[in-house]
Amino acid sequence: MTNKQGYILLTDTGTLFTRLIKVFTKKPYNHASLSFDDKLNEVYSFGRKSVRNPFRGGFVKENMQSKLFRRSKCAIYSFEITDEQISEMKQFIQSIEAEREQYSYNFIGLFGFIINKPINRKNKYFCSQFVATVLSESNIFVFEKSPSLIAPNDFEQLCTSKKVYEGNLYDYLIEAIEESVRVA
């Protein structure tokens, strides 16, 4: 059983909605995503489905090359996972992706987060709740609180995760592309 790496991507896109979230969290990063590769080709989360409309949200496969992320600041954390765990993560995400229209953003859950009362709703997640749920359901991390009370910055505290990068997301992606070219 080989160990592989999974990645938690924390970002600050600088949008009005994320600045509003920052008012409550008082932390530098306000969005969390999961990736299966260090080049961030496969990145999953719950967030806006349209760049122009932050209130139309749900399950998203994020494009790190998009304008929304191009100016983002980020922190990237890696964690070890087994083949079995990566399979469980992918199955969980694929089941959501297959029925993506049944899922939406848990705006009410954000209010529960603010008052520290978990609000879990069927087929509804906010970004860090989704990431925590995937990691918990795949037996990767055990959280001391409900996934609906997990903030993006809580992932920084996981003792088994390792920070691999912090800075401008676009710079990281350019570096990753250049590294791929050098290796090839």
Side-chain angles (χ1 to χ4, degrees):
M1 194 166 14
T2 6
N3 281 350
K4 296 185 178 180
Q5 298 291 309
Y7 299 88
I8 298 170
L9 172 64
L10 305 180
T11 54
D12 175 11
T13 58
T15 63
L16 178 63
F17 188 65
T18 57
R19 288 194 308 257
L20 179 64
I21 292 172
K22 251 183 167 175
V23 168
F24 295 101
T25 65
K26 297 178 180 27
K27 300 294 179 183
Y29 304 108
N30 43 54
H31 182 65
S33 310
L34 273 175
S35 181
F36 296 112
D37 67 286
D38 64 343
K39 308 288 187 273
L40 306 179
N41 293 314
E42 281 185 76
V43 180
Y44 302 95
S45 190
F46 267 67
R48 60 177 69 202
K49 289 185 173 188
S50 165
V51 174
R52 298 184 194 277
N53 184 354
F55 299 106
R56 187 175 171 267
F59 175 78
V60 289
K61 183 173 181 184
E62 296 175 322
N63 176 0
M64 296 295 106
Q65 304 290 334
S66 73
K67 190 175 182 180
L68 177 67
F69 288 105
R70 187 157 286 178
R71 64 176 185 247
S72 297
K73 295 177 185 136
C74 73
I76 302 170
Y77 293 85
S78 68
F79 55 93
E80 282 193 6
I81 48 178
T82 64
D83 289 332
E84 184 178 324
Q85 289 170 322
I86 200 166
S87 177
E88 288 177 23
M89 286 174 65
K90 286 185 175 187
Q91 278 182 319
F92 188 88
I93 290 170
Q94 287 168 351
S95 70
I96 292 173
E97 189 171 29
E99 297 184 9
R100 67 175 8 158
E101 296 309 316
Q102 304 293 320
Y103 288 83
S104 60
Y105 196 85
N106 189 5
F107 285 105
I108 294 172
L110 284 179
F111 293 108
F113 172 82
I114 291 167
I115 61 171
N116 200 35
K117 298 285 181 203
I119 299 176
N120 297 301
R121 302 172 66 215
K122 184 178 178 184
N123 296 345
K124 296 183 187 306
Y125 297 95
F126 51 85
C127 64
S128 53
Q129 178 186 19
F130 166 74
V131 171
T133 300
V134 172
L135 295 173
S136 178
E137 291 291 320
S138 304
N139 299 308
I140 296 167
F141 294 116
V142 176
F143 296 96
E144 294 178 10
K145 54 187 173 183
S146 167
S148 62
L149 295 178
I150 299 288
N153 65 286
D154 288 328
F155 297 113
E156 296 175 305
Q157 312 306 317
L158 295 173
C159 61
T160 58
S161 63
K162 175 183 142 194
K163 186 188 293 183
V164 294
Y165 179 81
E166 186 167 20
N168 184 294
L169 178 59
Y170 186 72
D171 291 343
Y172 175 83
L173 295 172
I174 293 297
E175 188 177 305
I177 291 168
E178 289 173 354
E179 178 65 26
S180 293
V181 170
R182 280 193 297 271
V183 171

